[in-house]
DNA sequence: TCAGTCACG
DNA sequence: ACGTACGTGACTGAG
């Protein structure tokens, strides 16, 4: 019997030393604890010490407290900062007491994990589990009589945990040269784009050329700060503020030039790493405020200030008027638009293009950590996060091309269509949604037909088409999603928004309509989907009564705030109560699909392995020769994650590709 | 360490 | 009085 507290960590560590652990892994106490209580983050989390304290009342000191050492200062004396030396240093410490401490600590750790398993197991065994009957035919589940949350753990999450560890270990192949090449391109583009912004700032105040476009405080000050409080003489001065910024390359070049002219001595004084700059506030009108009440500098805000100065004809944003129009206003809008473009590229560079190639192993593969650590049961991906790689039009440097199959191999990339909406239809039993899915075609267009009588009439008179196969030539009438694009967009927003508990305030603000109008639109959506409203009310009511909400595989999320006195917290808990069954239900389905995939001997024998999961998408890698054979098998697993079908189909789209970009 | 911002589903 | 759609992780500047 093997028990681990975070098997993924220990497993990789052992494997890296050539040690393979055979036999039955009975449990991972991190996953068990997460299943027991999803919301311990901020209440001690899932650390062994905190769980031991809360479940068994056992004290346990953190490693840092026992083995931490003071970091040495430059002069060799101990400083205040405590750090934890690596395990090899600790194990080989010549001090015998340290060695004994190490043995004691490790032993105690092991004992804790052992007792924690049985404690958590007991907790889970005392929690009822009533999933939808469809899962009762699952191979593992069939063989046992118990039906508690521990059963769920043992039959589903325990093997799922092993799948995740295998995926982490396998990793994804990255084309590093391609990334370097794209990063260079991005760097050039960024400089080109920000040039006009930098020049504009320079024209406003002399220190403007040193502004750091990554600093929100600096941007906020430059754009929105106005005048200071009146001084003793009662006069107001334009607001100046100083910032510390890094010395840029240009400054060092200037120094070298100056000193070069002098001829002899270079670097008389060491280069300063920081310099003070003063920026003058422009007093533009803020468009939005952050949670702490400061003027926001988010992209949407800058967009509103700038307008579309490069469009033809150009349209100028709010900065134009604020600066008195004319050439000055125009220059500001153009500069801000260029800032936006530069910022977008900077984001891609600093988060994706530059760090990724640094994080590969010697085989050019990248190993993310896949955690079951969310409130809803979704996975998260860390160090690096591979679940937020730029997609579609945001992927201007074609990042996803770097995630590729090594020579001789292929990727199979598959994803569910409208998974969450289908689960919503399934759980609510909403006739209108189920019908729309049965009829097929574009779901959001069908919602638009439901909501707007004139669209329904146009469809009836065949003035617009709901769908058209482009193989049959040009469509005989315009498409609904083109002709009624804005209605379809609204329908789409509601389809998603309502699943999350969107309110009329958000609708009114996002669409720029009155509260009454927003309310009416929401009512129209609900009027054809009464089952949804009823389901949401029931779910919230049940959550108030039981203290938790659950997915249809019977996983719970406790919502202590749902009966609290804090209105904001209560509102959030209510929205979480209706969203978690949907988001978590989707996570359950993908997990079941992955278990089924892992159990398909044929797929495995042909050498195919899962390498990534992105919530409703799975990526496998395997030999080129068998891709065609394996692809339909993969699809079948995903479309039938359970032994008996749901009341909605779960269609899966996908392709065989050389890289992630092609897969879309 | 926190706040702000922005990448994903 | 306040904020108002769910769930994540990474990077950056600044105190």
């Amino acid at each position: 019997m093997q028990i681990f507290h975070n098997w993924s960590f220990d497993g990789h560590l052992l494997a890296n030393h050539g040690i393979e652990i055979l036999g039955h892994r009975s449990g991972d106490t991190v996953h068990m604890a997460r299943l027991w209580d999803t919301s311990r983050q901020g209440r001690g989390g899932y650390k062994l010490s905190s769980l031991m304290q809360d479940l068994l009342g056992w004290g346990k000191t953190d490693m840092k407290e026992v083995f931490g050492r003071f970091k040495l200062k430059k002069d060799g004396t101990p400083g205040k900062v405590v750090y934890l030396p690596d395990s090899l240093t600790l194990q080989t410490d010549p001090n015998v007491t340290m060695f004994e401490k190490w043995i004691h600590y490790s032993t105690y750790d092991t004992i804790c994990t052992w007792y924690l398993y049985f404690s958590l197991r007991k907790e889970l065994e005392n929690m009822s589990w009533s999933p939808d009957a469809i899962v009762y035919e699952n191979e593992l589940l069939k063989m046992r009589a118990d039906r508690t949350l521990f059963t769920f753990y043992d039959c589903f999450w325990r093997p799922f945990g092993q799948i995740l560890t295998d995926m982490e270990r396998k990793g994804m192949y990255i084309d590093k040269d391609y990334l370097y090449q794209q990063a260079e391109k991005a760097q050039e583009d960024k400089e080109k784009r920000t040039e006009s912004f930098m020049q504009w700032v320079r024209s406003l105040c002399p220190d403007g050329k040193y502004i750091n476009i990554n600093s929100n405080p600096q941007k906020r000050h430059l754009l929105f700060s106005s005048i200071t409080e009146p001084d003793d003489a009662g006069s107001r001065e334009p607001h100046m503020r100083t910032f510390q910024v890094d010395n840029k390359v240009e400054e060092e070049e200037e120094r070298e030039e100056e000193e070069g002219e002098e001829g002899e001595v270079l670097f008389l004084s060491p280069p300063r790493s920081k310099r003070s700059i003063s920026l003058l506030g422009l007093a533009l009108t803020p468009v939005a405020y952050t949670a702490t009440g400061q003027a926001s500098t988010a992209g949407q805000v800058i967009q509103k200030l700038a307008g579309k100065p490069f469009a033809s004809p150009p349209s100028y944003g709010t900065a134009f008027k604020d600066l008195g129009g004319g050439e000055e206003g125009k220059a500001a809008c153009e500069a801000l638009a260029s800032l936006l473009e530069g910022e977008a590229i900077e984001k891609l560079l600093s988060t994706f293009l530059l760090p990724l190639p640094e994080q590969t192993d010697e085989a050019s593969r990248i190993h993310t950590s896949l955690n079951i650590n969310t409130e809803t049961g979704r996975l998260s991906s860390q160090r690096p996060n591979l679940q937020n790689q730029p997609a579609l039009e945001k992927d201007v440097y074609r990042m996803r091309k770097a995630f590729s199959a090594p020579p001789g191999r292929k990727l199979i990339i598959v994803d569910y269509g409208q998974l969450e909406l289908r689960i919503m239809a399934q759980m609510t039993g909403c006739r209108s949604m189920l019908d729309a899915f049965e009829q097929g075609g574009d779901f959001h267009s069908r919602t638009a037909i439901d909501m707007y009588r004139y669209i329904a009439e146009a469809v009836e008179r065949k003035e617009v088409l709901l769908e058209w196969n482009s193989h049959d030539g040009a469509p005989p009438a315009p498409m609904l999603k083109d002709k009624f694009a804005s209605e379809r967009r609204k329908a789409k927003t509601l389809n998603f928004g309502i699943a999350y508990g969107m309110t009329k305030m958000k609708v009114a603000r996002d669409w720029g309509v009155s509260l009454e109008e927003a309310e009416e639109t929401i009512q129209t959506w609900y009027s054809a989907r009464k089952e949804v409203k009823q389901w949401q009310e029931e779910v919230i009511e049940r959550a108030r009564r039981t203290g938790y909400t659950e997915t249809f595989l019977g996983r719970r999320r406790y919502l202590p705030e749902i009966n609290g006195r804090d209105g904001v917290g209560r509102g959030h808990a209510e929205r979480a109560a209706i969203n978690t069954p949907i988001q978590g239900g989707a996570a359950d389905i993908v997990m079941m699909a992955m278990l089924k995939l892992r159990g398909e001997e044929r797929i495995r024998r042909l050498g195919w392995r899962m390498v990534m999961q992105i919530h409703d998408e799975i990526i496998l890698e395997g030999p080129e020769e068998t891709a065609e054979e394996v692809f339909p098998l993969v699809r079948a697993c995903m479309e039938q994650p359970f032994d008996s079908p749901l009341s909605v189909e779960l269609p899966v789209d996908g392709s065989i590709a050389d890289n992630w970009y092609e897969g879309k």
Side-chain angles (χ1 to χ4, degrees):
Chain A
M1 181 158 190
Q2 302 162 19
I3 297 149
F4 291 87
H5 190 70
N6 195 5
W7 154 247
S8 156
F9 182 88
D10 296 336
H12 294 318
L13 197 75
L14 290 162
N16 289 343
H17 286 85
I19 301 166
E20 192 189 349
I21 305 273
L22 302 171
H24 183 80
R25 271 180 282 288
S26 307
D28 182 329
T29 42
V30 173
H31 293 168
M32 290 171 80
R34 180 58 81 163
L35 187 59
W36 167 61
D37 179 359
T38 56
S39 59
R40 286 180 58 87
Q41 223 83 68
R43 293 190 289 119
Y46 297 84
K47 277 166 42 179
L48 189 54
S49 54
S50 135
L51 288 165
M52 284 309 285
Q53 186 63 58
D54 292 358
L55 276 155
L56 291 137
W58 287 25
K60 187 178 174 303
T61 26
D62 275 347
M63 270 190 96
K64 221 172 170 178
E65 266 180 68
V66 184
F67 300 108
R69 292 179 187 180
F70 291 113
K71 226 175 202 167
L72 297 185
K73 290 198 282 197
K74 275 180 195 155
D75 59 10
T77 60
K80 275 187 186 162
V81 181
V82 177
Y83 77 103
L84 190 65
D86 64 75
S87 2
L88 190 66
T89 312
L90 292 173
Q91 288 170 45
T92 54
D93 194 295
N95 183 338
V96 177
T97 338
M98 279 306 286
F99 185 73
E100 280 184 0
K101 271 192 189 172
W102 179 258
I103 299 290
H104 280 135
Y105 191 91
S106 310
T107 313
Y108 189 60
D109 220 85
T110 311
I111 295 171
C112 281
T113 308
W114 179 263
Y115 280 102
L116 181 59
Y117 170 81
F118 288 101
S119 174
L120 280 167
R121 178 171 173 161
K122 213 172 89 195
E123 293 288 338
L124 291 172
E125 280 170 346
N126 283 330
M127 290 161 88
S128 62
W129 180 51
S130 43
D132 203 294
I134 43 174
V135 301
Y136 280 38
E137 291 174 41
N138 174 279
E139 282 301 318
L140 275 174
L141 195 62
K142 230 170 6 190
M143 307 192 315
R144 45 201 294 173
D146 58 314
R147 291 289 179 265
T148 70
L149 263 183
F150 178 74
T151 326
F152 173 84
Y153 174 75
D154 222 23
C155 297
F156 301 102
W157 266 20
R158 190 181 53 77
F160 186 50
Q162 185 58 51
I163 290 177
L164 298 180
T165 305
D166 291 345
M167 288 166 72
E168 292 171 339
R169 184 130 202 94
K170 175 102 185 153
M172 279 191 96
Y173 180 77
I174 302 281
D175 185 342
K176 282 160 74 166
D177 287 336
Y178 175 78
L179 282 181
Y180 289 133
Q181 187 190 311
Q182 294 303 87
E184 211 165 299
K185 216 185 272 177
Q187 203 87 49
E188 281 169 29
D189 288 350
K190 188 189 90 182
E191 274 157 35
K192 248 185 263 166
R193 299 292 150 80
T194 43
E195 199 178 350
S196 119
F197 175 74
M198 295 301 281
Q199 266 174 18
W200 176 68
V201 184
R202 198 181 301 197
S203 75
L204 298 171
C205 52
D207 278 352
K209 62 175 168 178
Y210 299 113
I211 192 172
N212 181 349
I213 69 159
N214 295 323
S215 165
N216 286 319
Q218 288 178 32
K219 277 184 288 191
R220 179 182 305 129
H221 178 80
L222 175 79
L223 297 174
F224 303 115
S225 174
S226 56
I227 42 184
T228 53
E229 290 302 309
D231 63 16
D232 293 341
S235 71
R236 288 163 178 267
E237 289 295 322
H239 196 191
M240 280 283 217
R241 188 179 151 189
T242 55
F243 293 93
Q244 297 293 310
V245 299
D246 284 338
N247 258 337
K248 294 256 175 66
V249 186
E250 300 108 83
E251 214 230 359
E252 291 187 13
E253 280 168 5
E254 280 171 25
R255 283 171 47 84
E256 283 187 41
E257 274 170 32
E258 282 168 24
E259 282 151 11
E261 278 168 12
E262 300 279 328
E264 324 258 306
V265 190
L266 289 174
F267 302 116
L268 258 178
S269 56
R272 285 169 298 164
S273 62
K274 297 271 184 191
R275 75 184 301 152
S276 275
I277 64 164
S278 303
L279 292 176
L280 191 65
L282 280 177
L284 302 181
T285 315
V287 175
Y289 292 90
T290 67
T292 54
Q294 305 192 77
S296 163
T297 55
Q300 281 185 338
V301 169
I302 310 281
Q303 182 66 65
K304 278 197 181 140
L305 298 178
K308 287 183 182 165
F310 300 124
S312 54
S315 69
Y316 297 103
T318 58
F320 184 75
K321 252 215 217 129
D322 280 354
L323 292 173
E327 284 304 310
E328 244 177 80
K330 214 174 118 185
C333 291
E334 287 175 0
L336 289 170
S338 114
L339 169 68
L340 268 181
E341 291 178 350
E343 277 178 335
I345 302 174
E346 167 64 22
K347 176 75 180 175
L348 297 180
L349 266 169
S350 65
T351 318
F352 305 110
L353 285 164
L354 294 176
L356 270 181
E358 306 304 318
Q359 290 166 285
T360 56
D361 65 9
E362 51 303 323
S364 204
R365 300 187 78 97
I366 200 152
H367 305 272
T368 186
S369 153
L370 290 167
N371 324 289
I372 312 183
N373 66 352
T374 62
E375 295 275 359
T376 59
R378 270 190 177 187
L379 298 182
S380 88
S381 158
Q382 287 173 303
R383 280 166 294 141
N385 182 356
L386 297 187
Q387 287 180 324
N388 72 341
Q389 299 301 310
L392 306 171
E393 67 275 5
K394 287 258 177 61
D395 192 10
V396 282
Y397 295 103
R398 306 275 186 266
M399 280 283 313
R400 289 191 178 212
K401 274 193 184 171
F403 292 83
S404 45
R409 298 174 71 82
K410 287 274 181 191
L411 300 179
I412 287 179
I413 304 170
V414 269
D415 72 306
Y416 284 108
Q418 313 287 22
L419 182 57
E420 292 199 355
L421 286 170
R422 285 171 191 274
I423 289 167
M424 193 157 124
Q426 159 85 29
M427 293 199 75
T428 60
C430 173
R431 201 58 256 164
S432 161
M433 292 180 80
L434 289 169
D435 284 347
F437 280 128
E438 269 162 34
Q439 288 164 26
D442 180 55
F443 184 79
H444 303 304
S445 293
R446 290 206 182 277
T447 308
I449 295 175
D450 264 9
M451 291 184 60
Y452 302 96
R453 177 171 296 234
Y454 58 87
I455 299 185
E457 285 165 1
V459 171
E460 213 157 286
R461 288 197 298 268
K462 300 205 162 48
E463 288 165 14
V464 289
L465 292 175
L466 197 60
E467 52 189 338
W468 182 256
N469 193 335
S470 56
H471 292 298
D472 302 339
M479 301 294 296
L480 191 158
K481 60 175 153 193
D482 299 323
K483 178 110 191 253
F484 299 108
S486 90
E487 286 90 342
R488 180 187 176 274
R489 201 164 44 240
K490 286 185 180 178
K492 184 178 175 182
T493 305
L494 286 180
N495 281 339
F496 286 117
I498 289 200
Y500 302 146
M502 194 185 202
T503 58
K504 59 183 173 186
M505 292 71 144
K506 171 83 174 162
V507 174
R509 202 200 303 165
D510 278 10
W511 297 355
V513 299
S514 69
L515 275 180
E516 294 73 37
E517 205 175 321
E519 163 114 60
E520 206 184 300
T521 315
I522 292 176
Q523 284 312 317
T524 313
W525 190 93
Y526 273 122
S527 67
R529 293 163 192 75
K530 294 200 168 60
E531 302 94 326
V532 175
K533 187 89 202 160
Q534 197 190 339
W535 178 83
Q536 292 181 332
E537 282 164 2
E538 280 169 16
V539 165
I540 291 174
E541 207 281 311
R542 200 177 315 136
R544 284 198 192 113
R545 208 174 57 237
T546 61
Y548 62 85
T549 187
E550 60 184 338
T551 71
F552 72 102
L553 282 202
R555 268 188 317 105
R556 298 179 188 183
R557 175 178 178 181
Y558 283 91
L559 298 161
E561 291 205 273
I562 203 156
N563 290 315
R565 295 179 58 194
D566 168 32
V568 177
R570 212 168 48 235
H572 187 252
E574 286 171 1
R575 292 190 294 274
I578 56 177
N579 174 256
T580 296
I582 296 165
Q583 190 182 112
D588 286 342
I589 284 185
V590 179
M591 174 201 65
M592 292 297 288
M594 289 168 76
L595 285 172
K596 195 157 185 182
L597 266 170
R598 177 64 180 76
E600 279 293 325
E601 269 315 308
R602 182 83 188 142
I603 296 177
R604 194 165 177 78
R605 224 179 23 252
L606 292 175
W608 285 81
R609 298 288 183 273
M610 287 178 267
V611 290
M612 196 57 206
Q613 184 248 60
I614 311 98
H615 311 307
D616 62 355
E617 176 180 354
I618 297 171
I619 305 180
L620 297 94
E621 186 194 300
E624 195 168 0
E625 313 82 71
T626 50
E628 295 288 349
E629 182 188 340
V630 168
F631 183 63
L633 301 178
V634 170
R635 253 174 101 140
C637 283
M638 289 181 69
E639 287 177 348
Q640 293 285 341
F642 305 109
D643 298 292
S644 36
L646 303 175
S647 50
V648 279
E649 287 192 341
L650 299 173
V652 168
D653 196 16
S655 59
I656 300 167
D658 287 318
N659 59 60
W660 199 357
Y661 181 78
E662 278 174 24
K664 276 282 168 189

